[in-house]
Each structure stands twice: as structure tokens, then as C-alpha cells.
Amino acid sequence: LGDSGVKLLSEALRKPDCKIRQLHLYENGLTDSGAKDLASALRTKESLTHVYLQGNSFTDQSVPALRHLIQTCRSLEQIVLVSNRFSPNGKRQLESLQEFRPRLYVTCEYSNLAT
């Protein structure tokens, strides 16, 4: 899919009649640019509960956009970000958001996956 495909997908996700509940985009060659596009498109999706973005190439440059998505998408219950390129600090910044929402799982490591 890559970042160019995510731009097209993000356009569709922004449509008011899009009621997506889960988004599975693992190992799609996404970079920080793709993370920003997705985060922008998904942050107001009230139906979205699960996002799976493992195995892409997100770095700490994606952290602000992903944090904003997690903070603004109140229906989000789980976001899986394992096997990306976050630093330990970037992972901490993302996973720390679940402290403020008891039913939210933010996972950057396989050992932290919710079962």
C-alpha cells in the first residue's frame, strides 16, 4: 500500500458515511508521512475501535500525530504499533496514554499485547 496508497485511503476514511470499526494495515511499508495522514483521517471516527499498524516504518517523528489520534478518537480501544522503529522514549510516550483511559490498550511491544 505504502504512503501514496494511504493518502487515497485517508480520503475515503474522511467521508462522513465511513463507519469503519477496525483498520488492519500491518506490514504495508508505511512511514511517518503515512502515519500523519492516517491519524488526521481517523481522529474523528466515532465507530473506530481497533487499529493495527504493526510492521511498518514509523519513527519518533510519528509520535505526535499518533498521540493526537489516541487522545482525540474517544472510541478507540486498542492500537497496536509493534515492530516499528520507535525509540524507547517514543514507545513510552505512546503507551503512557493508556494511563488516562482505563479501557485503552496502546501496544508498542509484543510483551504488552492485550489478550
Side-chain angles (χ1 to χ4, degrees):
L1 183 65
D3 290 337
S4 58
V6 161
K7 281 193 181 299
L8 295 172
L9 176 61
S10 294
E11 289 176 27
L13 292 170
R14 283 188 180 91
K15 295 183 184 221
D17 59 340
C18 175
K19 305 293 183 207
I20 190 166
R21 294 199 50 190
Q22 295 188 13
L23 181 64
H24 297 259
L25 291 175
Y26 33 83
E27 297 181 5
N28 273 271
L30 305 181
T31 68
D32 296 324
S33 174
K36 291 172 187 168
D37 288 333
L38 270 179
S40 174
L42 294 174
R43 66 177 180 228
T44 60
K45 289 293 162 197
E46 295 177 10
S47 59
L48 185 67
T49 59
H50 295 77
V51 178
Y52 301 93
L53 298 172
Q54 61 265 44
N56 287 290
S57 297
F58 303 142
T59 70
D60 287 359
Q61 290 182 15
S62 298
V63 170
L66 292 169
R67 280 181 59 92
H68 188 66
L69 166 63
I70 294 164
Q71 291 170 323
T72 57
C73 184
R74 303 304 297 170
S75 60
L76 191 62
E77 295 174 11
Q78 183 175 34
I79 182 167
V80 179
L81 297 161
V82 297
S83 296
N84 279 286
R85 297 180 180 168
F86 300 115
S87 70
N89 182 51
K91 291 175 185 177
R92 260 190 313 280
Q93 287 184 49
L94 291 163
E95 290 181 341
S96 70
L97 292 173
Q98 60 195 344
E99 295 171 17
F100 304 103
R101 288 189 31 213
R103 292 184 29 213
L104 172 68
Y105 295 99
V106 180
T107 310
C108 297
E109 298 286 339
Y110 281 111
S111 60
N112 297 337
L113 278 173
T115 54

